[in-house]
Amino acid sequence: MLKNKFTNIFKEIKVTVLADVFIDRIIRIPNFEFLLKEIKDKSEVGGGSIREISQKEIIGGNATNIAYALAKLGAQVNLFVIADNFTKELLNHRFNRYSNVQINIIEGKPGFTAALETKFNGKESNIMMSDVGGIKYFDGIEMVGIYKKIFKQSDVTIIANWASNLNGNDLINNVFSISKDTLRLLDCADISTSIDRLPKLIDIINKKDLVDVISLNENECSVLSQHIGFKKLSKDYSVKEIKNIARNLSEYLDLTIEIHTPLGSCSASDNNVQFVKSFEIQPIMLTGAGDVWNAANILGIKKEIS
């Protein structure tokens, strides 16, 4: 384990994270207009290369990124992912510096993403085109049977990328029902294309009390709020709007709502809402930023840091 000032603070916390891993190709483009023009020009002549486009390939995915950040912060991590042998080698290479991580492979197809990162209307934006792989129909029932002891001994259990998993509600039932003594975090990811599965998710939350914390970005909380019947965020939303939407969702779902936005971070629980503004940075890479935030935030919650 690499030592940093957080290592001793979080070293006793056991976290289980599941279950997506992606091979991500990060593509940086000047702007969308440039890309669309180049694609059109090349298409008109039957194809060709668009050169000098900055790219890099990394091993990612919501669960994998969260686990990496947790490991770097010093927690004891059990990562469950659906992967093949090639991806297993990439995972071992990425995590080889950290002795506080156990990687558990569920044989199957990993995910693949091409992430376009650019500026749009002066703001940083990333558009991800994904093949979600084996996570698409993952209910976790066999995994739970084999690794039940790990889930029961965890201090925190995280289900990531619910939106990409058509059996995500079943996964919540199967995993969180045996993790009742842990802090259970659901990271929904982009739910805009998974609205048809939200009623069952809300039913599970309200009737079965299986989720303690839901993590959302500004777009995800807006979609969820509108689906429930509250207002969505305005285009130029304010801190007040974020706090109101967090309070409404927390009261309706009777759990903790954690929201991360470019303006700052918001937490709502038991009618208590806190907001902390972001500080200015120069973004290096957008993909995975929310995952890093989730890792640090849930450790802070578990450790009861203000």
Side-chain angles (χ1 to χ4, degrees):
M1 186 196 311
L2 297 182
K3 300 294 183 180
N4 58 56
K5 62 184 178 181
F6 300 109
T7 301
N8 289 330
I9 299 175
F10 301 124
K11 67 180 181 180
E12 302 300 326
I13 300 178
K14 298 177 182 177
V15 188
T16 299
V17 191
L18 58 151
D20 64 318
V21 58
F22 278 73
I23 297 174
D24 294 339
R25 177 161 289 273
I26 314 299
I27 305 169
R28 188 76 190 179
I29 57 177
N31 55 67
F32 282 124
E33 290 76 13
F34 162 82
L35 180 62
L36 292 174
K37 180 180 181 301
E38 288 291 315
I39 290 174
K40 182 180 178 182
D41 290 347
K42 294 298 181 183
S43 298
E44 288 176 349
V45 296
S49 296
I50 305 174
R51 296 190 173 87
E52 296 185 18
I53 302 296
S54 174
Q55 301 183 41
K56 61 181 172 180
E57 196 165 83
I58 60 173
I59 190 84
N62 296 119
T64 302
N65 288 338
I66 291 170
Y68 187 82
L70 287 167
K72 198 168 186 179
L73 288 167
Q76 303 300 311
V77 184
N78 257 291
L79 171 63
F80 289 85
V81 287
I82 301 170
D84 56 18
N85 287 332
F86 174 70
T87 313
K88 180 181 178 180
E89 293 302 316
L90 294 176
L91 282 165
N92 288 336
H93 179 72
R94 185 178 188 195
F95 284 92
N96 65 3
R97 293 183 297 171
Y98 299 100
S99 60
N100 53 326
V101 179
Q102 174 66 45
I103 301 173
N104 306 282
I105 301 294
I106 301 156
E107 188 174 342
K109 180 184 175 183
F112 296 87
T113 291
L116 303 178
E117 296 197 346
T118 188
K119 282 191 175 182
F120 185 75
N121 290 336
K123 295 181 179 180
E124 293 286 342
S125 177
N126 68 325
I127 308 299
M128 292 175 282
M129 299 174 287
S130 297
D131 171 355
V132 302
I135 194 70
K136 186 175 183 179
Y137 300 108
F138 183 61
D139 63 13
I141 193 163
E142 292 184 14
M143 172 195 66
V144 167
I146 298 170
Y147 297 100
K148 184 178 290 187
K149 185 177 179 180
I150 289 176
F151 287 99
K152 286 191 172 183
Q153 291 179 343
S154 295
D155 299 306
V156 178
T157 304
I158 302 171
I159 293 178
N161 203 348
W162 172 89
S164 294
N165 186 354
L166 297 182
N167 289 332
N169 290 323
D170 296 321
L171 183 64
I172 291 171
N173 267 320
N174 293 330
V175 171
F176 283 166
S177 61
I178 64 165
S179 307
K180 291 187 176 181
D181 294 327
T182 78
L183 180 61
R184 297 162 296 183
L185 168 67
L186 176 63
D187 172 40
C188 290
D190 185 359
I191 59 177
S192 61
T193 57
S194 308
I195 294 174
D196 60 320
R197 291 189 282 119
L198 283 177
K200 185 177 178 182
L201 174 62
I202 292 169
D203 190 60
I204 289 171
I205 291 169
N206 285 336
K207 293 182 178 179
K208 296 190 176 184
D209 190 29
L210 291 179
V211 181
D212 301 310
V213 181
I214 290 183
S215 173
L216 305 160
N217 65 22
E218 69 276 15
N219 298 318
E220 294 153 8
C221 76
S222 194
V223 171
L224 181 58
S225 179
Q226 189 175 28
H227 174 79
I228 290 173
F230 300 126
K231 288 183 178 180
K232 68 176 184 178
L233 292 173
S234 62
K235 184 178 179 181
D236 298 313
Y237 59 87
S238 63
V239 171
K240 182 179 180 180
E241 283 183 82
I242 290 288
K243 292 176 72 172
N244 285 339
I245 208 170
R247 179 184 288 108
N248 289 340
L249 290 174
S250 178
E251 289 180 353
Y252 184 87
L253 297 173
D254 192 24
L255 45 63
T256 300
I257 294 291
E258 301 287 315
I259 302 173
H260 54 95
T261 82
L263 292 181
S265 300
C266 187
S267 178
S269 181
D270 298 326
N271 203 34
N272 179 33
V273 183
Q274 300 290 332
F275 188 95
V276 177
K277 289 185 177 181
S278 301
F279 49 86
E280 290 295 323
I281 63 163
Q282 180 60 45
I284 298 172
M285 184 170 66
L286 303 179
T287 305
D291 302 323
V292 176
W293 182 90
N294 270 320
N297 191 53
I298 200 65
L299 289 179
I301 293 172
K302 183 63 182 178
K303 200 68 177 177
E304 298 183 344
I305 296 173
S306 67

